[in-house]
Amino acid sequence: DAKTTQPNSMESNEEEPVHLPCNHSTISGTDYIHWYRQLPSQGPEYVIHGLTSNVNNRMASLAIAEDRKSSTLILHRATLRDAAVYYCILVKTSYDKVIFGPGTSLSVIP
Amino acid sequence: DADVTQTPRNRITKTGKRIMLECSQTKGHDRMYWYRQDPGLGLRLIYYSFDVKDINKGEISDGYSVSRQAQAKFSLSLESAIPNQTALYFCATTRGTTHTDTQYFGPGTRLTVL
């Protein structure tokens, strides 16, 4: 099964953009790229997903490499509330093979 | 009200005891999941259910069992708890019919086995 690789931790200054990278070199054609985040003492929450094209929503943007072997979650202006663990996962149709790795712990500095 | 609720939120128990963690959802979703989270390891799938009559083992099902009492309820049991089952447990739901569906997670149950 395809897996993802993310940096263990990253730091960002408040109100600056943050680019969170994810490598998924063994991604298959049927895998969607999903991002979730987990705020302290909470369950994970959905952020964004995509297949091939870049995606934008009110929370973030997702940039997907042309070969789909990597992607980047972009937070346009980091706030203190964005401090969380961010998970990049690959999803087939049923979430039965989803693997949540350790994720990237994002710290936001005031 | 929360879409996915879990009870209890915290539980301390002793080795060998039987424990049940409960999950309820108001999303109307057919698919429900139980995950376990250990520090530094992300989430690992224990069991999942696609409908009331369907139960499937996940990545780490040994030592656990589940019951899908209704569309909205999915319980996780530890028949004889052991200390290495100390972890944070999350229930999740999804409509699950396409790659694009979102998982909705509960707030978690922190279980400590002494």
Side-chain angles (χ1 to χ4, degrees):
Chain A
D1 295 321
K3 294 188 177 182
T4 62
T5 304
Q6 301 175 253
N8 290 331
S9 62
M10 292 183 65
E11 273 187 359
S12 174
N13 293 318
E14 194 176 11
E15 298 189 2
E16 290 188 355
V18 183
H19 290 232
L20 298 165
C22 181
N23 287 318
H24 28 79
S25 58
T26 58
I27 191 170
S28 73
T30 58
D31 289 333
Y32 272 66
I33 302 159
H34 285 235
W35 283 80
Y36 283 75
R37 73 178 186 180
Q38 186 174 17
L39 302 172
S41 302
Q42 295 187 26
E45 64 175 355
Y46 168 81
V47 177
I48 200 168
H49 74 271
L51 181 63
T52 57
S53 302
N54 294 343
V55 184
N56 300 294
N57 67 19
R58 64 175 180 81
M59 290 180 70
S61 295
L62 176 60
I64 302 172
E66 193 170 341
D67 63 6
R68 301 214 320 131
K69 293 184 176 182
S70 66
S71 61
T72 301
L73 178 70
I74 303 165
L75 307 179
H76 296 287
R77 287 180 72 245
T79 69
L80 297 179
R81 292 170 56 187
D82 290 324
V85 177
Y86 287 79
Y87 299 100
C88 167
I89 64 174
L90 303 178
V91 177
K92 298 186 186 295
T93 55
S94 58
Y95 280 96
D96 59 342
K97 296 290 187 182
V98 167
I99 299 175
F100 280 81
T104 296
S105 179
L106 176 66
S107 300
V108 179
I109 302 168
Chain B
D1 289 339
D3 295 322
V4 183
T5 58
Q6 293 183 234
T7 56
R9 295 294 312 278
N10 290 282
R11 181 71 183 268
I12 299 174
T13 191
K14 295 183 179 179
T15 297
K17 294 291 188 180
R18 184 177 188 274
I19 296 295
M20 179 180 286
L21 309 182
E22 299 186 350
C23 175
S24 294
Q25 53 106 352
T26 59
K27 301 290 291 183
H29 290 164
D30 285 327
R31 302 187 177 196
M32 298 187 72
Y33 305 78
W34 275 104
Y35 290 92
R36 165 179 173 159
Q37 185 173 39
D38 296 280
L41 292 182
L43 281 75
R44 291 181 291 169
L45 184 60
I46 305 173
Y47 271 97
Y48 60 100
S49 168
F50 285 174
D51 62 42
V52 174
K53 299 178 182 178
D54 178 78
I55 299 291
N56 303 283
K57 292 183 177 181
E59 185 184 0
I60 53 164
S61 59
D62 288 347
Y64 302 94
S65 62
V66 291
S67 172
R68 185 80 185 267
Q69 303 94 320
Q71 185 200 41
K73 296 184 182 298
F74 193 35
S75 299
L76 176 71
S77 293
L78 288 67
E79 296 300 326
S80 179
I82 57 176
N84 76 1
Q85 291 178 312
T86 294
L88 192 53
Y89 291 85
F90 288 102
C91 173
T93 78
T94 182
R95 188 166 57 95
T97 56
T98 75
H99 302 71
T100 61
D101 287 324
T102 299
Q103 276 203 322
Y104 296 87
F105 285 82
T109 293
R110 186 170 297 280
L111 177 66
T112 303
V113 183
L114 301 176

